[in-house]
């Protein structure tokens, strides 16, 4: 009998706790703002969706756009489009593209680059010049460093019209000197600055310090990214059919 009283006492205690919780606990539920069939949305959720959509972001027009969007989603699900192979491939492609974009953006932000006063001054000076450059191309960095002779490609153009990689290389070159080997688009090149000439008055391009600095930083970070990708390739196991 003693054990029965103990068990009964325990049940009464737990029943009391349960009754207290039922009468005193309040679950905080967000107030619905918009309901489209069985899709319930809060005001904050609707505002966030309107903010992400292009076009008119005013509340009345935005709500209509959200309603239309939700109805189209529901209809697509009803028709089973989400289970079809073309849709699956499209989602996979979008997922991979987004994944790569997030990685590249994050990596670019992590690179530390600077534009020195000498580089900026040199860039501003060359923007008023026409240059003659010899470009030596090699299939690999090894061959470029070997000193192997190759016929150069002659480039004569206003500095502002040159590709970005060539512009950056010329910032540290004096007339008659050659650059260190650099890689771009899978090819290795060496540049020799043969001549620097004045640009005709009507062809002078106005460039300010901020534009010059932005260009230098952008190209340096792009080169860092290219070097990082080359490192990934060198450390990977890659097989190609011969």
């Amino acid at each position: 009998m003693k054990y029965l009283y103990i068990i009964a006492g325990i049940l009464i205690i737990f029943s009391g706790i349960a009754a207290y919780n039922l009468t005193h606990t309040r679950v905080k539920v967000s107030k619905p703002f918009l309901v489209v069939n069985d899709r319930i949305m809060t005001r904050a959720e609707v505002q966030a969706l309107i903010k992400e959509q292009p076009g008119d972001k005013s509340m009345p027009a935005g709500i209509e756009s959200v309603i239309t969007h939700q109805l189209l989603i529901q209809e697509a699900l009803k028709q089973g489009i989400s289970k079809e192979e073309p849709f699956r491939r499209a989602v996979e492609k979008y997922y991979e593209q987004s994944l790569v974009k997030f990685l590249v953006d994050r990596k670019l932000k992590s690179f530390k680059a600077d534009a020195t006063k000498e580089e900026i001054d040199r860039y501003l000076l060359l923007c008023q010049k026409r240059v003659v450059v010899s470009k030596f191309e090699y299939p690999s960095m090894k061959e470029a460093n070997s000193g192997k002779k190759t016929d150069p490609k002659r480039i004569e153009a206003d500095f502002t019209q040159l590709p970005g990689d060539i512009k950056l290389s010329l910032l540290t070159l004096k007339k008659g000197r050659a650059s260190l080997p650099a890689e771009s688009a899978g090819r290795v090149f060496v540049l020799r600055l043969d001549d620097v000439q004045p640009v005709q008055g009507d062809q002078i391009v106005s460039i300010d310090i901020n534009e010059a600095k932005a260009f230098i930083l952008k190209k340096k970070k792009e080169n860092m990214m290219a070097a990082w990708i080359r490192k990934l390739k060198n450390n990977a196991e890659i097989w190609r059919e011969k």
Side-chain angles (χ1 to χ4, degrees):
M1 290 294 293
K2 180 180 178 181
Y3 295 108
L4 291 176
Y5 286 126
I6 293 173
I7 294 172
I10 293 172
L11 290 175
I12 291 172
I13 291 172
F14 278 103
S15 297
I17 293 173
Y20 177 84
N21 289 334
L22 287 173
T23 56
H24 291 80
T25 301
R26 294 288 183 271
V27 179
K28 187 177 181 181
V29 178
S30 298
K31 183 180 178 181
F33 177 74
L34 178 64
V35 179
V36 182
N37 292 326
D38 58 351
R39 179 74 162 90
I40 302 172
M41 288 168 280
T42 64
R43 176 182 287 272
E45 186 177 3
V46 171
Q47 289 175 336
L49 290 172
I50 292 174
K51 187 176 180 181
E52 293 174 357
Q53 292 180 354
D56 191 347
K57 297 184 185 298
S58 63
M59 188 57 78
I63 290 176
E64 289 302 317
S65 180
V66 169
I67 291 172
T68 300
H69 187 66
Q70 292 302 319
L71 288 173
L72 292 175
I73 290 174
Q74 292 173 20
E75 182 61 26
L77 291 172
K78 184 191 297 185
Q79 293 186 21
I81 292 176
S82 61
K83 300 176 182 179
E84 296 175 3
E85 183 64 17
F87 175 79
R88 188 196 65 77
R89 289 198 301 268
V91 170
E92 182 179 356
K93 182 178 180 180
Y94 176 78
Y95 167 80
E96 291 174 349
Q97 290 174 340
S98 299
L99 196 63
V100 170
K101 183 180 184 304
F102 271 80
L103 172 65
V104 170
D105 290 346
R106 181 176 300 176
K107 196 65 184 177
L108 282 172
K109 288 179 181 178
S110 73
F111 291 139
K112 305 299 180 184
D114 64 337
T116 66
K117 183 178 183 303
E118 292 76 14
E119 289 172 328
I120 294 174
D121 290 344
R122 176 72 169 167
Y123 184 86
L124 294 174
L125 174 66
L126 288 175
C127 281
Q128 314 305 323
K129 303 294 182 181
R130 185 172 182 82
V131 298
V132 180
V133 178
S134 292
K135 183 179 182 182
F136 302 84
E137 293 191 351
Y138 302 89
S140 68
M141 191 65 72
K142 182 179 179 181
E143 290 198 29
N145 288 319
S146 69
K148 180 181 177 181
K149 299 295 182 181
T150 181
D151 293 330
K153 175 184 178 183
R154 178 185 168 89
I155 301 172
E156 183 175 355
D158 291 353
F159 177 80
T160 55
Q161 297 175 348
L162 295 172
D165 289 328
I166 294 180
K167 284 183 182 177
L168 188 65
S169 296
L170 293 181
L171 295 184
T172 56
L173 279 188
K174 293 182 179 180
K175 185 177 175 180
R177 302 295 299 271
S179 69
L180 293 173
E183 187 171 348
S184 177
R187 297 288 294 180
V188 178
F189 65 88
V190 172
L191 299 176
R192 187 182 67 215
L193 180 58
D194 297 326
D195 197 11
V196 179
Q197 306 164 355
V199 173
Q200 298 300 323
D202 59 346
Q203 295 179 323
I204 292 177
V205 178
S206 178
I207 303 290
D208 63 27
I209 292 177
N210 291 331
E211 287 180 271
K213 182 177 180 179
F215 166 79
I216 294 169
L217 293 177
K218 179 175 179 290
K219 289 308 302 179
K220 284 187 175 182
K221 286 194 172 187
E222 286 178 356
N223 288 346
M224 291 177 183
M225 174 62 72
W228 179 67
I229 291 175
R230 286 196 298 271
K231 183 178 179 181
L232 289 179
K233 289 182 178 180
N234 291 335
N235 292 336
E237 293 183 6
I238 301 173
W239 180 86
R240 292 185 177 90
E241 185 179 10
K242 302 298 184 180

